[in-house]
Amino acid sequence: MAVFKFKDLSGRYALVTGSSSGIGRATCEALLSQGSIVFGVAIDQSEEERSTNFVPVRGDLSDPRDIRSAFEKVLLETDQLDYVANIAGISAKYSLADGDETKWHELIDLNLRGYYLVVREALPLLRKGSGRSIVNVSSINYRLGVPRRSIYSISKAGILGLTTGLARELGSEGIRINSISPGWVFTEREIAEYFTRSQDRSKYLKKLRESQAIDREISPEDIANHILFYLSDASAASTGHNCVVDGGWLLE
């Protein structure tokens, strides 16, 4: 997968949540390839050395104290940020009967409240940066009416509200905020759940090809390329925008 070059990303500071796997990891690697300095926030950090420009930061986005602690660690390295990519999330399935208050907080606190608090903590650092761009990762799932996905769908729809809700407020300071809504992405987690057994793989690939307008298995790197575009000055005229990356599933 080719990573497009955005020269303005080089030498700038980015914070990426959910950096240990999937879209978050792909985004970190894409930013590092551009010459960015990346703070990767994840609840589980790999011992693997990625780059001298990569700074691992442990943080559980469902816990406000952990978010504050993560930013205290960032402040030890820099007093400014150019970019924030909010990617961390879980996609647990709960029926209405099973989705009690505990399950609600499990998803909403991480998938939505965590995004809000990360942006809030990052704001003083973004004000001192040059890039001044935020990308939140949502999903097309809230549009599909998938059973047992109501809480997850609420969290992902809320991310769009968070993005548009802050676009004018932050725009007055020259800070842009956009969102990406992926379709079915072939992350490690999705492959393990749906595409490992040959029988399941055939069934779900058939569903995918019936739903998408193009026959493509969307990769984390596909999403990372779109995230980099919205972080970079190439998208300087866009804020409050939701970019759907779903192979033509919704056709919008």
Side-chain angles (χ1 to χ4, degrees):
M1 167 65 65
V3 176
F4 298 98
K5 286 294 182 181
F6 299 98
K7 293 181 180 179
D8 57 294
L9 298 178
S10 180
R12 289 184 172 177
Y13 291 86
L15 182 138
V16 179
T17 71
S19 62
S20 61
S21 63
I23 297 169
R25 183 181 179 88
T27 300
C28 287
E29 292 177 352
L31 283 164
L32 291 169
S33 76
Q34 308 280 335
S36 304
I37 299 92
V38 180
F39 296 91
V41 183
I43 193 169
D44 295 313
Q45 290 290 354
S46 169
E47 297 298 322
E48 172 190 353
E49 181 67 33
R50 299 194 206 177
S51 164
T52 54
N53 282 350
F54 180 76
V55 182
V57 180
R58 190 202 172 278
D60 178 358
L61 266 65
S62 66
D63 186 341
R65 295 168 299 181
D66 252 29
I67 294 173
R68 287 192 293 269
S69 176
F71 275 91
E72 287 170 2
K73 293 171 185 172
V74 171
L75 283 167
L76 295 175
E77 304 287 338
T78 180
D79 66 349
Q80 68 180 55
L81 283 173
D82 296 289
Y83 313 113
V84 171
N86 261 323
I87 302 171
I90 54 175
S91 56
K93 302 174 185 175
Y94 299 117
S95 67
L96 183 60
D98 292 333
D100 59 13
E101 181 181 3
T102 300
K103 299 295 191 298
W104 168 273
H105 283 293
E106 177 186 301
L107 270 78
I108 298 297
D109 290 356
L110 172 58
N111 288 9
L112 183 55
R113 186 183 70 177
Y115 281 40
Y116 174 85
L117 293 177
V118 165
V119 172
R120 191 169 185 272
E121 291 288 337
L123 183 57
L125 286 78
L126 287 167
R127 285 172 174 152
K128 296 179 181 179
S130 300
R132 296 191 167 198
S133 184
I134 303 164
V135 172
N136 296 322
V137 173
S138 181
S139 169
I140 69 167
N141 196 279
Y142 80 98
R143 296 282 303 277
L144 302 179
V146 180
R148 300 169 58 217
R149 289 283 195 172
S150 60
I151 304 177
Y152 175 75
S153 294
I154 290 165
S155 72
K156 291 301 182 178
I159 289 169
L160 302 188
L162 171 64
T163 301
T164 57
L166 289 176
R168 292 187 188 279
E169 181 177 343
L170 299 182
S172 66
E173 300 188 56
I175 299 172
R176 299 184 299 114
I177 181 167
N178 293 287
S179 60
I180 306 287
S181 289
W184 205 341
V185 182
F186 281 62
T187 61
E188 306 97 306
R189 183 171 58 194
E190 293 297 299
I191 290 170
E193 184 171 353
Y194 297 103
F195 298 102
T196 300
R197 296 193 311 167
S198 59
Q199 183 177 359
D200 288 343
R201 180 176 176 82
S202 297
K203 178 176 71 173
Y204 290 120
L205 284 177
K206 183 175 183 292
K207 169 64 176 175
L208 194 70
R209 286 167 180 146
E210 290 171 349
S211 301
Q212 291 184 180
I214 56 175
D215 185 3
R216 181 180 182 86
E217 297 177 10
I218 299 172
S219 70
E221 290 76 19
D222 285 320
I223 309 304
N225 275 332
H226 285 78
I227 292 172
L228 262 60
F229 170 75
Y230 278 97
L231 291 178
S232 79
D233 292 343
S235 62
S238 292
T239 195
H241 181 244
N242 178 47
C243 176
V244 177
V245 187
D246 65 351
W249 193 312
L250 296 181
L251 290 176
E252 65 174 34

CSV table of all heavy atoms in Angstrom, one decimal, residues 132-178:
chain,number,residue,atom,x,y,z
A,132,ARG,N,-2.5,22.3,13.5
A,132,ARG,CA,-3.8,22.6,14.0
A,132,ARG,C,-4.9,21.9,13.4
A,132,ARG,O,-5.9,22.4,12.9
A,132,ARG,CB,-4.0,24.1,13.9
A,132,ARG,CG,-3.0,25.0,14.7
A,132,ARG,CD,-3.4,26.4,14.8
A,132,ARG,NE,-2.7,27.1,15.8
A,132,ARG,CZ,-3.0,28.3,16.3
A,132,ARG,NH1,-4.1,28.9,15.9
A,132,ARG,NH2,-2.3,28.9,17.2
A,133,SER,N,-4.8,20.5,13.4
A,133,SER,CA,-5.8,19.7,12.8
A,133,SER,C,-6.1,18.5,13.6
A,133,SER,O,-5.2,17.9,14.2
A,133,SER,CB,-5.3,19.3,11.4
A,133,SER,OG,-6.3,18.5,10.7
A,134,ILE,N,-7.4,18.2,13.7
A,134,ILE,CA,-7.9,17.0,14.4
A,134,ILE,C,-8.7,16.1,13.5
A,134,ILE,O,-9.5,16.6,12.7
A,134,ILE,CB,-8.8,17.5,15.6
A,134,ILE,CG1,-8.1,18.4,16.5
A,134,ILE,CG2,-9.4,16.3,16.4
A,134,ILE,CD1,-9.0,19.2,17.5
A,135,VAL,N,-8.5,14.8,13.6
A,135,VAL,CA,-9.4,13.9,12.9
A,135,VAL,C,-9.9,12.9,13.9
A,135,VAL,O,-9.2,12.3,14.7
A,135,VAL,CB,-8.6,13.1,11.8
A,135,VAL,CG1,-9.4,12.0,11.2
A,135,VAL,CG2,-8.1,14.1,10.7
A,136,ASN,N,-11.3,12.7,13.9
A,136,ASN,CA,-12.0,11.7,14.7
A,136,ASN,C,-12.4,10.6,13.8
A,136,ASN,O,-12.9,10.8,12.7
A,136,ASN,CB,-13.2,12.3,15.4
A,136,ASN,CG,-12.8,13.4,16.3
A,136,ASN,OD1,-11.9,13.3,17.1
A,136,ASN,ND2,-13.7,14.4,16.4
A,137,VAL,N,-12.3,9.3,14.2
A,137,VAL,CA,-12.7,8.2,13.4
A,137,VAL,C,-14.0,7.7,13.9
A,137,VAL,O,-14.2,7.3,15.1
A,137,VAL,CB,-11.6,7.1,13.5
A,137,VAL,CG1,-12.2,5.8,12.8
A,137,VAL,CG2,-10.4,7.5,12.7
A,138,SER,N,-15.0,7.7,13.1
A,138,SER,CA,-16.4,7.3,13.4
A,138,SER,C,-16.6,5.9,12.7
A,138,SER,O,-15.7,5.1,12.7
A,138,SER,CB,-17.4,8.3,12.9
A,138,SER,OG,-18.7,7.9,13.2
A,139,SER,N,-17.7,5.7,12.0
A,139,SER,CA,-18.0,4.4,11.3
A,139,SER,C,-19.3,4.6,10.6
A,139,SER,O,-20.2,5.4,11.0
A,139,SER,CB,-18.2,3.3,12.3
A,139,SER,OG,-18.7,2.1,11.7
A,140,ILE,N,-19.5,3.9,9.5
A,140,ILE,CA,-20.8,3.9,8.8
A,140,ILE,C,-21.8,3.0,9.6
A,140,ILE,O,-23.0,3.0,9.2
A,140,ILE,CB,-20.7,3.4,7.4
A,140,ILE,CG1,-20.4,1.9,7.3
A,140,ILE,CG2,-19.7,4.3,6.6
A,140,ILE,CD1,-20.5,1.3,5.9
A,141,ASN,N,-21.4,2.3,10.6
A,141,ASN,CA,-22.2,1.3,11.2
A,141,ASN,C,-23.5,1.8,11.8
A,141,ASN,O,-24.6,1.2,11.7
A,141,ASN,CB,-21.4,0.6,12.4
A,141,ASN,CG,-22.1,-0.7,12.8
A,141,ASN,OD1,-23.0,-0.7,13.6
A,141,ASN,ND2,-21.6,-1.8,12.3
A,142,TYR,N,-23.5,3.1,12.3
A,142,TYR,CA,-24.7,3.6,12.8
A,142,TYR,C,-25.8,3.9,11.8
A,142,TYR,O,-27.0,4.0,12.1
A,142,TYR,CB,-24.4,5.0,13.6
A,142,TYR,CG,-24.3,6.2,12.7
A,142,TYR,CD1,-25.3,7.0,12.5
A,142,TYR,CD2,-23.1,6.4,12.0
A,142,TYR,CE1,-25.2,8.1,11.6
A,142,TYR,CE2,-22.9,7.5,11.1
A,142,TYR,CZ,-24.0,8.3,11.0
A,142,TYR,OH,-23.9,9.4,10.1
A,143,ARG,N,-25.4,3.8,10.5
A,143,ARG,CA,-26.4,4.0,9.4
A,143,ARG,C,-27.0,2.7,9.0
A,143,ARG,O,-28.0,2.7,8.2
A,143,ARG,CB,-25.7,4.6,8.2
A,143,ARG,CG,-25.1,6.0,8.4
A,143,ARG,CD,-26.3,7.0,8.3
A,143,ARG,NE,-26.9,7.0,7.0
A,143,ARG,CZ,-26.5,7.6,5.9
A,143,ARG,NH1,-25.4,8.3,5.9
A,143,ARG,NH2,-27.2,7.5,4.8
A,144,LEU,N,-26.5,1.6,9.4
A,144,LEU,CA,-26.8,0.3,8.9
A,144,LEU,C,-27.9,-0.5,9.6
A,144,LEU,O,-28.5,-1.5,9.1
A,144,LEU,CB,-25.6,-0.6,8.7
A,144,LEU,CG,-24.5,0.0,7.9
A,144,LEU,CD1,-23.3,-1.0,7.9
A,144,LEU,CD2,-24.9,0.3,6.5
A,145,GLY,N,-28.2,-0.1,10.9
A,145,GLY,CA,-29.2,-0.8,11.7
A,145,GLY,C,-28.9,-2.2,12.0
A,145,GLY,O,-29.7,-3.1,11.9
A,146,VAL,N,-27.6,-2.5,12.4
A,146,VAL,CA,-27.2,-3.8,12.7
A,146,VAL,C,-27.6,-4.2,14.1
A,146,VAL,O,-27.4,-3.5,15.0
A,146,VAL,CB,-25.6,-3.9,12.6
A,146,VAL,CG1,-25.1,-5.3,12.9
A,146,VAL,CG2,-25.1,-3.4,11.2
A,147,PRO,N,-28.3,-5.4,14.2
A,147,PRO,CA,-28.7,-5.8,15.5
A,147,PRO,C,-27.6,-5.9,16.5
A,147,PRO,O,-26.4,-6.2,16.2
A,147,PRO,CB,-29.3,-7.2,15.2
A,147,PRO,CG,-29.7,-7.2,13.8
A,147,PRO,CD,-28.7,-6.3,13.1
A,148,ARG,N,-27.9,-5.6,17.8
A,148,ARG,CA,-26.9,-5.7,18.9
A,148,ARG,C,-25.8,-4.6,18.8
A,148,ARG,O,-24.8,-4.7,19.4
A,148,ARG,CB,-26.3,-7.1,19.0
A,148,ARG,CG,-27.4,-8.1,19.3
A,148,ARG,CD,-26.8,-9.5,19.2
A,148,ARG,NE,-25.7,-9.7,20.1
A,148,ARG,CZ,-24.6,-10.4,19.8
A,148,ARG,NH1,-24.4,-11.0,18.6
A,148,ARG,NH2,-23.7,-10.6,20.7
A,149,ARG,N,-26.1,-3.6,18.0
A,149,ARG,CA,-25.1,-2.6,17.8
A,149,ARG,C,-25.6,-1.2,18.3
A,149,ARG,O,-25.0,-0.2,17.9
A,149,ARG,CB,-24.6,-2.5,16.4
A,149,ARG,CG,-23.8,-3.7,15.9
A,149,ARG,CD,-22.4,-3.6,16.3
A,149,ARG,NE,-21.5,-4.5,15.6
A,149,ARG,CZ,-20.2,-4.5,15.7
A,149,ARG,NH1,-19.6,-3.7,16.5
A,149,ARG,NH2,-19.5,-5.4,15.0
A,150,SER,N,-26.6,-1.1,19.0
A,150,SER,CA,-27.2,0.2,19.3
A,150,SER,C,-26.3,1.1,20.1
A,150,SER,O,-26.1,2.3,19.8
A,150,SER,CB,-28.5,0.0,20.1
A,150,SER,OG,-28.4,-0.6,21.3
A,151,ILE,N,-25.6,0.6,21.2
A,151,ILE,CA,-24.8,1.4,21.9
A,151,ILE,C,-23.5,1.9,21.1
A,151,ILE,O,-23.1,3.0,21.1
A,151,ILE,CB,-24.3,0.7,23.2
A,151,ILE,CG1,-25.5,0.3,24.1
A,151,ILE,CG2,-23.4,1.7,24.1
A,151,ILE,CD1,-25.2,-0.5,25.3
A,152,TYR,N,-23.0,0.9,20.4
A,152,TYR,CA,-21.8,1.2,19.5
A,152,TYR,C,-22.2,2.3,18.5
A,152,TYR,O,-21.5,3.2,18.2
A,152,TYR,CB,-21.4,-0.1,18.8
A,152,TYR,CG,-20.3,0.1,17.8
A,152,TYR,CD1,-19.0,0.4,18.2
A,152,TYR,CD2,-20.6,0.1,16.4
A,152,TYR,CE1,-18.0,0.6,17.3
A,152,TYR,CE2,-19.6,0.3,15.5
A,152,TYR,CZ,-18.3,0.5,15.9
A,152,TYR,OH,-17.3,0.7,15.0
A,153,SER,N,-23.4,2.1,17.9
A,153,SER,CA,-23.9,3.1,16.9
A,153,SER,C,-24.1,4.4,17.5
A,153,SER,O,-23.8,5.5,16.8
A,153,SER,CB,-25.2,2.6,16.3
A,153,SER,OG,-25.0,1.4,15.5
A,154,ILE,N,-24.6,4.5,18.7
A,154,ILE,CA,-24.8,5.8,19.4
A,154,ILE,C,-23.4,6.5,19.5
A,154,ILE,O,-23.3,7.7,19.3
A,154,ILE,CB,-25.4,5.6,20.7
A,154,ILE,CG1,-26.9,5.2,20.6
A,154,ILE,CG2,-25.3,6.9,21.6
A,154,ILE,CD1,-27.5,4.7,21.8
A,155,SER,N,-22.4,5.7,19.9
A,155,SER,CA,-21.1,6.3,20.2
A,155,SER,C,-20.5,6.8,18.8
A,155,SER,O,-19.9,7.9,18.8
A,155,SER,CB,-20.1,5.3,20.8
A,155,SER,OG,-19.8,4.3,19.9
A,156,LYS,N,-20.7,6.1,17.7
A,156,LYS,CA,-20.1,6.5,16.5
A,156,LYS,C,-20.9,7.7,15.9
A,156,LYS,O,-20.3,8.6,15.2
A,156,LYS,CB,-20.1,5.3,15.5
A,156,LYS,CG,-19.1,4.3,15.9
A,156,LYS,CD,-17.7,4.8,16.0
A,156,LYS,CE,-16.6,3.8,16.4
A,156,LYS,NZ,-15.3,4.4,16.4
A,157,ALA,N,-22.2,7.7,16.0
A,157,ALA,CA,-23.0,8.9,15.6
A,157,ALA,C,-22.6,10.1,16.4
A,157,ALA,O,-22.5,11.2,15.9
A,157,ALA,CB,-24.5,8.6,15.7
A,158,GLY,N,-22.4,9.9,17.7
A,158,GLY,CA,-22.0,11.0,18.6
A,158,GLY,C,-20.7,11.6,18.2
A,158,GLY,O,-20.5,12.9,18.3
A,159,ILE,N,-19.8,10.9,17.6
A,159,ILE,CA,-18.5,11.4,17.1
A,159,ILE,C,-18.7,12.4,16.0
A,159,ILE,O,-18.0,13.5,15.9
A,159,ILE,CB,-17.6,10.3,16.6
A,159,ILE,CG1,-17.1,9.5,17.8
A,159,ILE,CG2,-16.4,10.8,15.8
A,159,ILE,CD1,-16.4,8.2,17.5
A,160,LEU,N,-19.7,12.2,15.2
A,160,LEU,CA,-20.0,13.2,14.1
A,160,LEU,C,-20.6,14.4,14.7
A,160,LEU,O,-20.2,15.6,14.3
A,160,LEU,CB,-21.0,12.6,13.1
A,160,LEU,CG,-20.6,11.3,12.4
A,160,LEU,CD1,-21.7,11.0,11.3
A,160,LEU,CD2,-19.3,11.4,11.8
A,161,GLY,N,-21.4,14.3,15.8
A,161,GLY,CA,-21.9,15.5,16.5
A,161,GLY,C,-20.8,16.2,17.2
A,161,GLY,O,-20.8,17.5,17.2
A,162,LEU,N,-19.9,15.5,17.7
A,162,LEU,CA,-18.7,16.1,18.4
A,162,LEU,C,-17.9,16.9,17.3
A,162,LEU,O,-17.5,18.1,17.6
A,162,LEU,CB,-17.8,15.1,19.0
A,162,LEU,CG,-16.4,15.5,19.5
A,162,LEU,CD1,-16.6,16.5,20.7
A,162,LEU,CD2,-15.6,14.3,20.0
A,163,THR,N,-17.7,16.4,16.2
A,163,THR,CA,-16.9,17.0,15.1
A,163,THR,C,-17.6,18.3,14.6
A,163,THR,O,-16.9,19.3,14.6
A,163,THR,CB,-16.7,16.0,14.0
A,163,THR,OG1,-16.0,14.9,14.5
A,163,THR,CG2,-15.9,16.7,12.9
A,164,THR,N,-18.9,18.2,14.3
A,164,THR,CA,-19.5,19.4,13.8
A,164,THR,C,-19.8,20.4,14.9
A,164,THR,O,-19.7,21.6,14.7
A,164,THR,CB,-20.9,19.1,13.1
A,164,THR,OG1,-21.7,18.3,14.1
A,164,THR,CG2,-20.7,18.2,11.9
A,165,GLY,N,-20.0,19.9,16.1
A,165,GLY,CA,-20.2,20.8,17.3
A,165,GLY,C,-19.0,21.6,17.6
A,165,GLY,O,-19.2,22.7,18.2
A,166,LEU,N,-17.8,21.2,17.3
A,166,LEU,CA,-16.6,21.9,17.6
A,166,LEU,C,-16.0,22.7,16.4
A,166,LEU,O,-15.1,23.5,16.6
A,166,LEU,CB,-15.6,21.0,18.2
A,166,LEU,CG,-15.8,20.4,19.6
A,166,LEU,CD1,-14.7,19.4,20.0
A,166,LEU,CD2,-15.9,21.5,20.6
A,167,ALA,N,-16.6,22.4,15.2
A,167,ALA,CA,-15.9,23.0,14.0
A,167,ALA,C,-15.9,24.5,14.0
A,167,ALA,O,-14.8,25.1,13.8
A,167,ALA,CB,-16.6,22.5,12.8
A,168,ARG,N,-17.0,25.1,14.4
A,168,ARG,CA,-17.0,26.6,14.4
A,168,ARG,C,-16.2,27.1,15.6
A,168,ARG,O,-15.5,28.1,15.5
A,168,ARG,CB,-18.4,27.2,14.4
A,168,ARG,CG,-19.1,26.9,13.1
A,168,ARG,CD,-20.4,27.6,13.0
A,168,ARG,NE,-21.2,27.2,11.9
A,168,ARG,CZ,-21.0,27.7,10.6
A,168,ARG,NH1,-20.1,28.6,10.4
A,168,ARG,NH2,-21.8,27.3,9.6
A,169,GLU,N,-16.4,26.5,16.7
A,169,GLU,CA,-15.7,27.0,18.0
A,169,GLU,C,-14.2,26.9,17.8
A,169,GLU,O,-13.5,27.9,18.1
A,169,GLU,CB,-16.2,26.1,19.1
A,169,GLU,CG,-15.5,26.5,20.5
A,169,GLU,CD,-16.1,25.6,21.6
A,169,GLU,OE1,-17.1,24.9,21.5
A,169,GLU,OE2,-15.4,25.6,22.7
A,170,LEU,N,-13.7,25.8,17.3
A,170,LEU,CA,-12.2,25.7,17.1
A,170,LEU,C,-11.8,26.4,15.9
A,170,LEU,O,-10.7,26.9,15.8
A,170,LEU,CB,-11.8,24.2,17.0
A,170,LEU,CG,-12.2,23.4,18.2
A,170,LEU,CD1,-11.7,21.9,18.0
A,170,LEU,CD2,-11.5,23.9,19.5
A,171,GLY,N,-12.7,26.5,14.9
A,171,GLY,CA,-12.3,27.2,13.7
A,171,GLY,C,-12.0,28.7,13.9
A,171,GLY,O,-11.2,29.3,13.2
A,172,SER,N,-12.6,29.3,14.9
A,172,SER,CA,-12.3,30.7,15.2
A,172,SER,C,-10.9,30.9,15.7
A,172,SER,O,-10.3,32.0,15.6
A,172,SER,CB,-13.3,31.2,16.3
A,172,SER,OG,-13.0,30.5,17.6
A,173,GLU,N,-10.2,29.8,16.1
A,173,GLU,CA,-8.8,29.8,16.4
A,173,GLU,C,-7.9,29.2,15.4
A,173,GLU,O,-6.7,29.0,15.6
A,173,GLU,CB,-8.6,29.1,17.8
A,173,GLU,CG,-9.3,29.7,18.9
A,173,GLU,CD,-9.0,29.0,20.2
A,173,GLU,OE1,-7.8,29.0,20.6
A,173,GLU,OE2,-9.8,28.5,20.9
A,174,GLY,N,-8.5,28.9,14.2
A,174,GLY,CA,-7.7,28.3,13.2
A,174,GLY,C,-7.4,26.9,13.3
A,174,GLY,O,-6.4,26.3,12.7
A,175,ILE,N,-8.2,26.2,14.1
A,175,ILE,CA,-8.0,24.7,14.4
A,175,ILE,C,-9.1,24.0,13.6
A,175,ILE,O,-10.3,24.3,13.8
A,175,ILE,CB,-8.1,24.4,15.9
A,175,ILE,CG1,-6.9,25.1,16.6
A,175,ILE,CG2,-8.0,22.9,16.1
A,175,ILE,CD1,-7.0,25.0,18.1
A,176,ARG,N,-8.7,23.1,12.8
A,176,ARG,CA,-9.7,22.3,12.0
A,176,ARG,C,-10.0,21.0,12.7
A,176,ARG,O,-9.2,20.4,13.3
A,176,ARG,CB,-9.2,22.0,10.6
A,176,ARG,CG,-8.9,23.3,9.8
A,176,ARG,CD,-8.5,23.0,8.4
A,176,ARG,NE,-7.3,22.2,8.3
A,176,ARG,CZ,-7.2,21.0,7.8
A,176,ARG,NH1,-8.3,20.3,7.4
A,176,ARG,NH2,-6.0,20.4,7.7
A,177,ILE,N,-11.2,20.5,12.5
A,177,ILE,CA,-11.6,19.2,13.0
A,177,ILE,C,-12.5,18.5,12.0
A,177,ILE,O,-13.6,19.0,11.5
A,177,ILE,CB,-12.3,19.3,14.4
A,177,ILE,CG1,-12.7,17.9,14.9
A,177,ILE,CG2,-13.5,20.2,14.3
A,177,ILE,CD1,-13.1,18.0,16.4
A,178,ASN,N,-12.2,17.3,11.5
A,178,ASN,CA,-12.9,16.5,10.6
A,178,ASN,C,-13.1,15.1,11.1
A,178,ASN,O,-12.4,14.7,12.1
A,178,ASN,CB,-12.2,16.5,9.2
A,178,ASN,CG,-12.2,17.9,8.6
A,178,ASN,OD1,-13.2,18.4,8.1
A,178,ASN,ND2,-11.1,18.5,8.6
